[in-house]
Amino acid sequence: MSDIRLIALDLDGTVFNDQKEITPRTMAAIRAAIAKGVDVIPATGRTETGVPEEFLKMPGVHYALTSNGATVVELATGRHLVELPFEPEVAQAVYDRVAKSGGTMGIFVDGECYTDRYGANEGLDLYPPALRNYLKSTRILVEDIHAFFQAHPHGVEKFSIMYPDTASRDAAWQAVAKDCHVELTSSIPNNLEINAPGVTKGRGLAALADALGLDRSQVMACGDSGNDLAMIETAGLGVAMANATPDVLAAADYVTASNNEDGVAKAIEKFVLGMDV
């Protein structure tokens, strides 16, 4: 059995099933790992304020990796162990390109996500239905997204833009990649997520492991999509869900069952709890 001391879990498509639920079996496996002294953290593209209650209320969950690694927060104190926002001039260059690319934009600043009236209303239709309640409850409406951005040149953690189709997303991706040296990923179809250069879930996870005095061989990560790739590659044990994208499947050390088949629970049971699954 591996000496895993830190488990990083992506949320959507990984811990959550397609109904955005954590099943009893997965919850039990997480709690059993924590009881063994293992740190289990949500590792998400969501903001700090978007960390789900299931984790916030779970005894023994001490940290959260948010905004694709731009922030790692100690939940009890709010202290940031990792803080990797954009340099203002880089954020400006990214904004200039994505603001004219269509879609619905969310700007992550200091642990919150801000969007305009379109993004808070009609733009929600671009997202999978299971995500819409989460977006409604966590995004903050600003009347003028341009004015908001100009007033907050510092502290931008991430841009998240949802497009009506893959072609629109790919065109925006190429425009940003051509002119800006940044991290571009996607977590769901037609979505574009942009972080500062070098900022990934993998970098945030490595920084937390170092802070905890852990070797990479003691770190396990589970994920399913492009924004999980660096984390899967960084962890000593990278676990892909059966529903993962091809690049994540190829990079993983192990492929577990899908998010609808308790894949996270089965991986924890096998590698942390020593169960025959």
Side-chain angles (χ1 to χ4, degrees):
M1 185 170 57
S2 306
D3 180 30
I4 300 299
R5 309 309 302 165
L6 174 62
I7 303 173
L9 300 176
D10 172 56
L11 298 180
D12 301 298
T14 301
V15 168
F16 288 136
N17 62 20
D18 288 350
Q19 288 70 50
K20 300 303 174 187
E21 301 165 336
I22 303 179
T23 67
R25 180 176 177 179
T26 296
M27 188 69 77
I30 292 171
R31 286 175 171 156
I34 292 171
K36 286 192 64 175
V38 178
D39 272 306
V40 180
I41 68 166
T44 180
R46 299 184 182 199
T47 59
E48 188 176 326
T49 55
V51 176
E53 288 292 314
E54 291 94 332
F55 277 95
L56 294 176
K57 292 182 177 179
M58 193 182 301
V61 175
H62 300 127
Y63 310 99
L65 183 156
T66 65
S67 297
N68 286 344
T71 301
V72 177
V73 60
E74 185 176 48
L75 294 172
T77 64
R79 179 172 66 98
H80 286 185
L81 284 72
V82 175
E83 203 166 42
L84 300 168
F86 282 91
E87 292 295 330
E89 62 274 12
V90 178
Q92 182 70 62
V94 170
Y95 177 83
D96 289 344
R97 284 150 186 81
V98 297
K100 57 187 177 184
S101 68
T104 176
M105 179 164 54
I107 303 176
F108 291 29
V109 178
D110 296 331
E112 303 275 9
C113 180
Y114 298 84
T115 193
D116 59 14
R117 190 164 293 279
Y118 171 73
N121 293 282
E122 303 96 315
L124 290 174
D125 293 339
L126 301 179
Y127 289 88
L131 274 176
R132 292 172 192 168
N133 284 338
Y134 155 72
L135 294 167
K136 288 178 183 177
S137 65
T138 58
R139 292 199 163 184
I140 298 172
L141 171 66
V142 294
E143 289 297 332
D144 186 336
I145 196 76
H146 179 74
F148 170 81
F149 176 77
Q150 297 303 324
H152 296 82
H154 301 278
V156 176
E157 299 168 2
K158 190 181 96 168
F159 295 89
S160 180
I161 309 96
M162 193 71 179
Y163 294 93
D165 51 57
T166 302
S168 301
R169 190 277 309 272
D170 289 350
W173 189 308
Q174 292 164 12
V176 175
K178 177 177 179 291
D179 296 325
C180 306
H181 174 56
V182 290
E183 298 296 330
L184 297 101
T185 59
S186 182
S187 59
I188 54 177
N190 304 334
N191 154 255
L192 174 58
E193 299 183 1
I194 310 170
N195 285 87
V199 176
T200 65
K201 288 187 182 182
R203 182 174 172 184
L205 181 58
L208 177 59
D210 290 344
L212 297 176
L214 299 177
D215 186 81
R216 301 296 165 80
S217 65
Q218 296 175 293
V219 180
M220 171 176 156
C222 299
D224 73 300
S225 59
N227 68 340
D228 301 316
L229 179 60
M231 178 173 75
I232 297 295
E233 293 173 335
T234 297
L237 178 60
V239 177
M241 310 302 291
N243 53 288
T245 54
D247 54 346
V248 173
L249 290 168
D253 301 298
Y254 180 78
V255 178
T256 188
S258 77
N259 66 313
N260 290 318
E261 301 169 310
D262 286 309
V264 164
K266 292 174 182 178
I268 292 175
E269 290 164 359
K270 178 179 179 67
F271 293 108
V272 180
L273 305 180
M275 298 169 61
D276 186 13
V277 296

